[in-house]
């Protein structure tokens, strides 16, 4: 796949240009499916999911002017004929994966069967927002936070620190965002020191483009590449 991993959506012209470059055509000529699943575990999750779908959430994504836009709810897929939802995924130019709970997203990516399909989608652009971006990396920087929302008696929290590993680098979104102490650079540096691969700390005006194994940073804000301590 081709990946556009954002902190807070398509927040500026540079990120939008990168998206259209990956699509190979204008957004206005492209189709997309939006995955709102990550919002569900949180208090107010239903309203958050609705805002993402309606394009009224903080991070620009659904409202970018797509030629067509559908909703792919991962929790529903195990009850749907696979050939139906898989056809819809394969036909879409972009898969827009909203933020929320990384642990929950990873769980339902696997349970739905989407995780095993993603590597076969060579022409599809995966656009992640926050948790949607972290989900495709090997490591979940939000594991401690996500564990607070695991239902009692569930084994969903097993291996909470691991994600899907579809790309080879770690990502930490919302760099230095006010009100988010864990996203301060000093805090991110401590986490990144224990990760055996580079970590990209990106703010809400930055994104990673990953295609053909190459990593490119697109930014109108601030970002840092942090190396592991050996």
């Amino acid at each position: 796949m081709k990946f556009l991993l954002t902190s807070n959506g398509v927040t500026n012209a540079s990120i939008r240009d990168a998206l259209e470059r990956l699509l190979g055509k204008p957004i206005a000529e492209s189709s997309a499916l939006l995955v709102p699943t990550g919002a569900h575990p949180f208090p107010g999750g239903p309203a958050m999911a609705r805002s993402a779908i309606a394009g009224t959430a903080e991070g620009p994504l659904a409202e970018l002017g797509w030629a067509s836009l559908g909703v792919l709810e991962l929790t529903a897929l195990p009850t749907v004929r696979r050939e139906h939802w898989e056809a819809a995924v394969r036909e879409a130019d972009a898969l827009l994966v909203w933020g929320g709970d990384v642990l929950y997203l990873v769980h339902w990516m696997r349970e739905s069967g989407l995780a095993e399909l993603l590597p076969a989608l060579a022409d599809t652009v995966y656009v992640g927002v926050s948790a949607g971006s972290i989900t495709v990396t090997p490591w979940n920087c939000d594991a401690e936070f996500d564990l607070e929302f695991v239902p009692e008696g569930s084994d969903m929290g097993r291996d909470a620190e691991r994600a899907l590993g579809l790309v080879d680098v770690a990502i930490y979104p919302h760099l230095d965002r006010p009100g988010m102490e864990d996203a301060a650079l000093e805090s991110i540096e401590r986490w990144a020191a224990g990760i055996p691969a580079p970590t990209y700390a990106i703010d809400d005006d930055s994104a990673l483009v990953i295609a053909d194994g190459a990593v490119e940073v697109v930014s109108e804000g601030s970002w840092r590449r942090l190396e592991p301590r050996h």
Side-chain angles (χ1 to χ4, degrees):
M1 294 191 77
K2 295 172 284 188
F3 297 91
L4 180 66
L5 305 182
T6 79
S7 176
N8 201 39
V10 182
T11 53
N12 56 54
S14 296
I15 299 176
R16 186 184 179 102
D17 288 347
L19 173 55
E20 293 193 323
R21 174 159 47 93
L22 290 171
L23 290 167
K25 56 185 174 181
I27 294 172
E29 298 175 10
S30 304
S31 61
L33 293 176
L34 177 72
V35 178
T37 306
H40 295 323
F42 296 159
M48 293 168 63
R50 190 263 180 197
S51 294
I53 295 167
T56 58
E58 180 182 350
L61 200 62
E63 66 270 39
L64 296 177
W66 300 95
S68 67
L69 180 66
V71 174
L72 187 71
E73 175 48 60
L74 301 186
T75 62
L77 300 191
T79 65
V80 177
R81 284 181 177 268
R82 179 170 177 131
E83 61 265 30
H84 292 171
W85 69 257
E86 183 174 325
V89 171
R90 288 184 178 276
E91 290 168 5
D93 295 308
L95 193 62
L96 315 178
V97 184
W98 193 248
D101 188 317
V102 178
L103 184 56
Y104 192 77
L105 258 179
V106 169
H107 174 82
W108 282 107
M109 283 273 192
R110 290 179 173 144
E111 287 293 308
S112 67
L114 183 60
E116 66 181 7
L117 176 62
L118 291 179
L121 304 178
D123 297 324
T124 308
V125 180
Y126 180 107
V127 184
V129 175
S130 191
S133 295
I134 299 167
T135 292
V136 297
T137 74
W139 300 278
N140 177 11
C141 61
D142 276 350
E144 184 176 350
F145 175 69
D146 293 341
L147 286 169
E148 299 177 19
F149 301 96
V150 174
E152 187 174 348
S154 171
D155 64 355
M156 192 185 301
R158 186 182 305 157
D159 296 325
E161 73 282 359
R162 300 311 299 263
L164 296 179
L166 300 181
V167 301
D168 295 329
V169 298
I171 190 169
Y172 208 117
H174 309 303
L175 170 64
D176 287 331
R177 184 170 182 170
M180 297 182 68
E181 293 182 8
D182 62 327
L185 180 58
E186 183 178 352
S187 177
I188 298 175
E189 287 174 333
R190 287 195 297 270
W191 181 82
I195 299 300
T199 296
Y200 287 85
I202 60 172
D203 72 359
D204 289 352
D205 283 311
S206 304
L208 294 189
V209 173
I210 304 178
D212 298 323
V215 180
E216 174 193 354
V217 180
V218 177
S219 179
E220 293 186 13
S222 300
W223 64 278
R224 291 283 298 275
R225 175 181 161 126
L226 305 172
E227 302 294 340
R229 287 184 194 150
H230 297 291

